[in-house]
């Protein structure tokens, strides 16, 4: 009886666990930046994640057409550039703010696919959140390069969603593992060029493997489990909490303190993401 009573909560806890694991893993990854830079850290994360998921899912067991292969390649390349740009963003701007800016990518995809009046409310929330992060709003100045990297990651996230839908008919383990393999083709060479032999130090390799497990393998596995059991509306709303969760863990683990306007900006992003998810599902 106890198991059946709490069973409906398990997928919800899985999503929250995914968001928390991602935030903790990324916060831990920042401690590697002084050793191998954001590029080297991203290379280890994506490279090890690809190896772990290839071993887990063994995607060569499934047949993929040439069209599917091209879709996975595009999806993976977008994923790789997104990871690289995001890590370069959090090298110079707070983690929570970078996540909030990055969330404008999927928001833009959602907004462009709809023409309902209520969507202008969510667009307004997202725009307000971005404006609050600019120095003209009276908040602390942010590193320009970091903001541009985060915006680039947002654009890649949008492409990742578009290309991912074209491979959506494939098994999730098939597309994700091959997608990460394609992502590693972009990120690993950049990381090697930047960090060189420092990537092969045992403590760095071990830390990179931990980052890959905590910030990629665990979140992806938990999300795949939750998606099978939750309505996409509920899943989307829970995932919308990621910027706030990231900011909280960055405060606890990295001591990245945000001002009142910056917290308000993150709140606007969360509201825009959750609201767009809710109204989009209801309209369908």
């Amino acid at each position: 009886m106890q198991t059946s009573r709490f069973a409906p909560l398990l997928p919800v806890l899985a999503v929250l666990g995914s968001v928390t694991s991602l935030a903790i893993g990324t916060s831990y990854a920042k401690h590697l930046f002084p050793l191998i830079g954001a590029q080297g850290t991203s290379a280890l994360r994506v490279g090890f994640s690809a190896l772990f998921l290839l071993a887990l899912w063994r995607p060569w067991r499934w047949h993929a057409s040439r069209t599917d292969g091209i879709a996975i390649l595009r999806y993976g390349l977008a994923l790789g550039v997104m990871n690289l740009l995001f890590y370069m963003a959090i090298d110079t701007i707070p983690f929570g703010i970078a996540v909030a800016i990055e969330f404008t990518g999927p928001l833009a995809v959602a907004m462009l696919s709809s023409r309902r009046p209520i969507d202008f409310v969510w667009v307004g929330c997202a725009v307000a959140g971005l404006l609050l992060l600019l120095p003209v709003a009276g908040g602390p100045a942010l590193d320009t390069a970091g903001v541009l990297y985060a915006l680039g990651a947002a654009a890649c996230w949008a492409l990742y969603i578009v290309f991912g839908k074209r491979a959506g008919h494939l098994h999730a383990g098939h597309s994700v593992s091959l997608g990460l393999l394609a992502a590693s083709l972009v990120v690993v060479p950049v990381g090697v060029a930047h960090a060189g032999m420092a990537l092969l130090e045992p403590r760095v390799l071990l830390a990179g493997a931990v980052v890959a497990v905590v910030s990629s393998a665990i979140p992806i596995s938990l999300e795949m489990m939750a998606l099978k059991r939750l309505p996409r509306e509920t899943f989307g709303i829970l995932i919308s909490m990621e910027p706030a969760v990231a900011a909280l863990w960055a405060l606890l683990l990295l001591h990245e303190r945000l001002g009142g306007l910056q917290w308000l900006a993150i709140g606007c992003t969360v509201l825009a993401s959750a609201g767009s998810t809710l109204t989009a599902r209801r309209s369908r």
Side-chain angles (χ1 to χ4, degrees), residues 91-145:
D91 192 23
T92 57
I93 65 176
F95 177 26
I97 290 177
V99 174
I101 295 174
E102 190 188 32
F103 254 67
T104 59
L107 275 172
V109 174
M111 295 301 100
L112 289 174
S113 63
S114 179
R115 296 292 185 272
R116 292 165 298 117
I118 186 63
D119 289 328
F120 290 101
V121 176
W122 313 131
V123 171
C125 287
V127 171
L130 281 177
L131 290 177
L132 287 171
L133 295 175
L134 299 177
V136 293
L142 295 174
D143 179 72
T144 302

Side-chain angles (χ1 to χ4, degrees), residues 27-132:
S27 298
Y28 176 68
K30 286 198 70 171
H31 293 294
L32 289 175
F33 285 10
L35 299 175
I36 55 176
Q39 298 93 327
T41 307
S42 181
L44 289 181
R45 174 193 175 182
V46 173
F48 275 121
S49 296
L51 291 176
F52 292 151
L53 290 179
L54 286 171
L56 175 64
W57 291 108
R58 293 172 291 167
W60 50 85
R61 296 178 298 163
W62 290 290
H63 171 74
S65 66
R66 181 178 179 182
T67 302
D68 292 337
I70 293 174
I72 292 174
L73 178 62
R74 291 174 176 173
Y75 156 83
L77 294 178
L79 176 63
V81 177
M82 178 183 76
N83 275 274
L84 180 60
L85 291 178
F86 180 75
Y87 267 46
M88 292 176 72
I90 63 174
D91 192 23
T92 57
I93 65 176
F95 177 26
I97 290 177
V99 174
I101 295 174
E102 190 188 32
F103 254 67
T104 59
L107 275 172
V109 174
M111 295 301 100
L112 289 174
S113 63
S114 179
R115 296 292 185 272
R116 292 165 298 117
I118 186 63
D119 289 328
F120 290 101
V121 176
W122 313 131
V123 171
C125 287
V127 171
L130 281 177
L131 290 177
L132 287 171

Side-chain angles (χ1 to χ4, degrees), residues 174-242:
H174 185 191
S175 57
V176 171
S177 56
L178 289 180
L180 274 168
L181 177 61
S184 67
L185 298 178
V186 177
V187 181
V188 172
V190 174
V192 170
H194 178 81
M197 296 300 294
L199 289 173
L200 298 180
E201 293 185 14
R203 62 170 180 152
V204 171
L205 285 173
L206 177 61
V210 171
V211 168
V213 170
V214 178
S215 63
S216 289
I218 291 177
I220 288 173
S221 300
L222 289 174
E223 287 178 12
M224 288 172 64
M225 186 271 280
L227 272 170
K228 293 179 180 178
R229 296 167 175 83
L230 280 179
R232 288 188 178 270
E233 171 187 339
T234 306
F235 179 85
I237 292 171
L238 290 171
I239 284 292
S240 301
M241 300 303 297
E242 186 175 330

